[in-house]
Amino acid sequence: MSFTVVIPARMASTRLPRKPLADLAGKPMVVRVAERAAQSGAARVVVATDHQEIVDACAAHGVEAMLTREDHASGTDRLAEVAGRLGLPADAVVVNVQGDEPLIEPALIDRLAGALVSSQLPMATMAHPIDSAADFFNPNVVKVVLDQDGLAAYFSRAPIPYARDAFAERTDTLPAGLPALRHIGMYAYQAGFLSVYATLSPSPLETFEALEQLRVLWHGHRIAVVTVDEAPAAGVDTPADLERVRAILTN
């Protein structure tokens, strides 16, 4: 199975300015991510960015990077541009690895790419079980509910599925057997679907939830979901996250 990893990397970041270039034990974060992705079975790893400085930093470390348009509304739109410019065939597999995941496990990338192929669907993503009531009720933790075929029925920041009777008694613990899943923000696409996605109009659901994957469901497309046992290593969103990853890489 052959697949391409594309890593969107925007210079602008509200909570952590210049995040892709943040130093992690002597290398920019986006380079660390690309190196992890290269340890997967990917045939090619490309950083897709809106800033020449990121292209230059990647080049200095032997990482392929492509300068894309600055006006993309989402990372998926940026992927669509890259897939088109690379001339990928419609059935080619493209895995979107976020540029702030320097500790991503290469095996997860492989597994997601394989799941897309076996599902014969245009898009796939990942999830893991939630075992904490605090996480379940946290709106920053995105939940996904699956149908009987393991496909995404809905993504939400709300606590879903909601155990009405159990939570009427207490909300500090989760009832046994509740199929609570946390969405992992990594995606695989058929390259041809990326060009379709770029034409889809935003949905009211994604506007309220601030979750762009809801656009896919809104327009009637299906998303396969791979469930893994444990959460992957946390990404970098804040200065505290940055220091945590620096300590891990240094030690």
Side-chain angles (χ1 to χ4, degrees):
M1 177 190 62
S2 177
F3 64 91
T4 300
V5 170
V6 179
I7 304 169
R10 292 175 62 250
M11 184 67 86
S13 174
T14 303
R15 288 182 288 182
L16 196 59
R18 297 173 59 83
K19 181 163 67 170
L21 298 180
D23 181 81
L24 291 178
K27 295 180 180 179
M29 176 157 47
V30 69
V31 169
R32 290 284 184 187
V33 177
E35 289 177 343
R36 296 289 283 183
Q39 294 172 29
S40 72
R44 191 172 186 178
V45 177
V46 182
V47 172
T49 181
D50 61 353
H51 204 284
Q52 185 62 45
E53 196 172 346
I54 295 175
V55 173
D56 295 341
C58 288
H61 291 275
V63 172
E64 182 178 3
M66 181 179 293
L67 190 64
T68 62
R69 287 168 31 204
E70 297 181 4
D71 60 347
H72 287 303
S74 71
T76 312
D77 294 313
R78 199 174 305 281
L79 256 69
E81 178 187 346
V82 171
R85 288 171 58 183
L86 291 178
L88 298 177
D91 61 351
V93 177
V94 179
V95 179
N96 177 357
V97 175
Q98 300 299 327
D100 55 6
E101 301 281 352
L103 302 179
I104 188 71
E105 285 294 335
L108 284 181
I109 302 173
D110 290 341
R111 186 168 177 184
L112 182 58
L116 180 76
V117 173
S118 61
S119 73
Q120 298 185 321
L121 290 173
M123 182 173 173
T125 190
M126 309 189 87
H128 70 86
I130 297 174
D131 56 13
S132 159
D135 284 345
F136 186 67
F137 287 98
N138 182 351
N140 293 318
V141 173
V142 178
K143 275 70 68 173
V144 58
V145 171
L146 309 185
D147 66 14
Q148 64 180 349
D149 297 318
L151 308 182
Y154 192 67
F155 298 86
S156 183
R157 298 181 181 279
I160 59 172
Y162 195 86
R164 185 195 64 177
D165 295 342
F167 291 143
E169 296 182 6
R170 58 185 303 176
T171 57
D172 61 342
T173 187
L174 300 180
L178 182 71
L181 293 173
R182 180 176 188 163
H183 177 230
I184 299 169
M186 187 164 67
Y187 301 95
Y189 306 88
Q190 290 182 349
F193 181 68
L194 285 169
S195 60
V196 172
Y197 179 94
T199 69
L200 299 178
S201 60
S203 74
L205 297 175
E206 73 174 281
T207 301
F208 285 106
E209 293 263 21
L211 299 173
E212 68 172 281
Q213 64 269 35
L214 289 173
R215 184 182 313 184
V216 176
L217 299 182
W218 175 266
H219 287 279
H221 302 284
R222 306 310 307 273
I223 303 174
V225 180
V226 181
T227 302
V228 297
D229 294 334
E230 298 180 355
V236 177
D237 289 319
T238 66
D241 293 336
L242 188 62
E243 292 307 317
R244 170 181 52 79
V245 173
R246 279 174 175 160
I248 291 171
L249 291 175
T250 300
N251 294 331

